[in-house]
Amino acid sequence: MTALETTPDGDGSTTADAVPVEVLGAPTDNPDLLEWVRRTARLTTPDAVVWCDGSRAEHDRLTAQMVADGTLIALDPVKRPGSFLARSDPDDVARVEHRTFIASEHEADAGPTNHWREPAALRAELDGAFAGCMRGRTMYVVPFSMGPVGGPISQLGVQLTDSPYVVVSMGVMTRMGSDALAAISPGTPFVPAVHSVGRPLVAADGSTRPDVPWPCNPLKYVAHFPETREIWSFGSGYGGNALLGKKCFALRIASVMAREEGWLAEHMLVLKVTTPQGRVHHVAAAFPSACGKTNLAMLQPSLPGWRVETIGDDIAWMRPGADGRLRAINPETGFFGVAPGTGPETNPVAVEMLREDVIFTNCALTADGDVWWEGLTPEPPAGLTDWRGEPWTPASGRPAAHPNARFTVSAARCPSIAAEFDDPEGVVVDAILFGGRRGSNVPLVAQALDWTHGVFTGAGISSEQTAAAEGTVGELRHDPFAMLPFTGYHMADYFQHWLDLGKRLPAAGLPAVFSVNWFRRGDDGRFLWPGFGENARVLEWICGRLEGTAAARFTPLGHVPAAGALDVAGLDVSAEDLGELFRVDVDAWLGEADLLEEYFATFGPRLPHELTGHLDLLRYRLAGV
Ligand code: OXD
Ligand code: MN
C-alpha cells in the first residue's frame, strides 16, 4: 500500500481544501487510469489516495485499523483465528433494488425490469452527491480482475472507495492488487467503479464530525452506465451495493458486455460432479438470492461413491470455446454467503470453511468472542449479543443474527474447492439448472425438451422472496433466470440473446437444461423433499440423463424421472410425497400460464415469439393431460 497523497499537514487532521490533485509515484503509468483517479479525487476530495497492492500486509493493516476504529470486532484468536465481526447500520442491511439504476441512453434499452435514469440527469445528481463526499477520508484505489488475471474469459476493473471494509472484502472476493494493476496497461479496457459510503467527516465549511462504526447515507445510488461500462455507488457499505465487482460488474455490466460479445454472465453457481465410475460433469445452476446456491455448490452427496466439488456459488461467466461448447469460470475468488441456515446438517463444508480468516457481518456475538446465527446449532449459546449489539435471549422475540447476515471468506478456505477453480479456460458446462423457492406446483426436477424450451423454463422462474434484498419476504415474484435484479439491459433482449446463442452453437454440445425445486410443501406445510445432501439424488438422475441411462417420463413441463428412476433408497420419503413432488396440477398450471402470459406482456414487442410459442405449447400439453 503506497500513500501517494496526504493532506498538506500530513498528520491525519483535515482541511476543507485538502484536495489531492496529483497522483505522482502511482504504481501505474496508464494515463487513462491516472486521469480518472485524479478526476474522481478532485470531485470527492479525500484527504489521501492510497493504491492497494492486495498483499496480506495490507489486509492486516486495514483490519487492525478497523478494529481500532470500531468498524470490526476481532473474534477470539483461538476459536476463530484471523476473523472479524462487522455490524452494519440497521438501515444498510441488503441490496437496495429500488435505488439500483440502469442509465442507458434510451429508456427502452433498460427495459421494464430495471429502474431507468436518463444518463445526463443521473450524472448531474451523482456529481452533487459525490462532491466532497470523501472529505476527511482516504480514497483507496482497488485494481481487480474478475477471473484469473489475463484469462480469456476474465475482465479487469478498478474500484475507488472510501471504505476500508470494502477494500478488505474486495481482496477476498476478487483477484485484487498489483497483478491486476499491472495487467491494466495503457489502452487496456477496465471497468471504472466509484464507491463512497457518502458520509464525509469534514463539512464544506471545514467543521468536522467523528466517524461511526458503519458509515453510510440514507440517500443511496447503485448506478450503472451500460454504454460507457461505468459504475457509481453511493451511500451503502453493504454487499452487492458496495463490493462492485460482484453484482454491479460481474452481472449488470458484464451481461451487457456478454450480449455484445456473444457470451453469458449469469447468476449461477458452478459445480463439478464425479460419478462412482469416475465420469465428470459440470453443472451451472441459477437460483434467486438466498435460495441455497452456496449449499448446493458445496453439497456433500449422501450417495456412496459420488463426489461434488465447488467452482463457484454465485456467478458464472460462460463463453463458447473453439469446440463450440460453453466453458464457465467463476469470476470471483471468495464467497459472500448468507450465514443463517448454514450449519453442520445443511452445509458441513461451509462450517469447516468458516473456521479461519472470515469477515462476518451482522451475525450475533457469543460471550466468548465467537459468532453465532440461527441454524448454526439447534440451541443458541447463552449470553449472546445480537447483530445490533444488544443483549439477546431466545425470549427476545427477534432473530439474533440478521436474516441477511453474511460471511466473506476466500475460496482457498473451501475444503471442496475444485482443482479447476483457477483454470482460466474454465470448465465445459454439461447441464444448466434453473431453480426457485416454490412451495407448490414446480416439480423436484424436470428436463427441458430442448434449448428453446430451456430458455422458456428460465424465463418463467418465479420464487418466494428472501431477505437478500429489500421487499416483502415470502412474496412470489417473477425472477427470470434468477437475473431480475441483475440484467443490465432489456430482459426480452436477454431472452433473445440466450435463444441466439443456442442457434449459434452446435446443438450436440449445448448443455441440457433442467428446472429444480427443493422447496415444495405438502398440504400440511411440510417440505416434501429433505434437500441438502440428498439433492445428490437429483444430480444422479441429471447425470444419468446426460449419459443417456436415466429413464424419464414425459409431462407437460418436460421429462421427469420415470417410476423408480430417482434413487430414493434409504430415504424417509413416502410414495405419496414422491408422487406429490412430481404432480402436475393442471388447473394450477393453467393459472401459472395465465400469470406468465401477463408477465410476458410487460415486455411488449421485444419478447421473442419463441417464448409465447412455448406458452401455447404448454397450454396445449396441459389440455391433453
Ligand atoms: C448475493 C445476492 O449476495 O444474490 O449473492 O444477493
Ligand atoms: Mn447472488
Side-chain angles (χ1 to χ4, degrees), residues 95 246-247 267 289 314 336 406 468 486:
R95 287 184 291 99
K246 196 173 184 58
K247 306 298 183 181
H267 192 203
S289 305
D314 196 38
F336 178 67
R406 298 285 183 145
F486 306 126

Side-chain angles (χ1 to χ4, degrees), residues 229 253-265 489 497:
R229 298 180 176 176
I253 294 293
S255 63
V256 172
M257 294 173 155
R259 180 187 175 215
E260 279 169 21
E261 298 165 9
W263 50 283
L264 296 169
Y489 61 100
H497 176 52

Side-chain angles (χ1 to χ4, degrees), residues 94-95 97 238-240 246-247 251 267 287-291 293-294 313-315 332 336-338 404 406 466-469 482 485-486:
R95 287 184 291 99
E97 293 182 4
Y238 208 87
K246 196 173 184 58
K247 306 298 183 181
L251 291 176
H267 192 203
F287 292 81
S289 305
C291 283
K293 288 218 298 295
T294 309
D313 80 329
D314 196 38
I315 296 173
E332 301 189 287
F336 178 67
V338 178
N404 194 34
R406 298 285 183 145
T466 67
F486 306 126

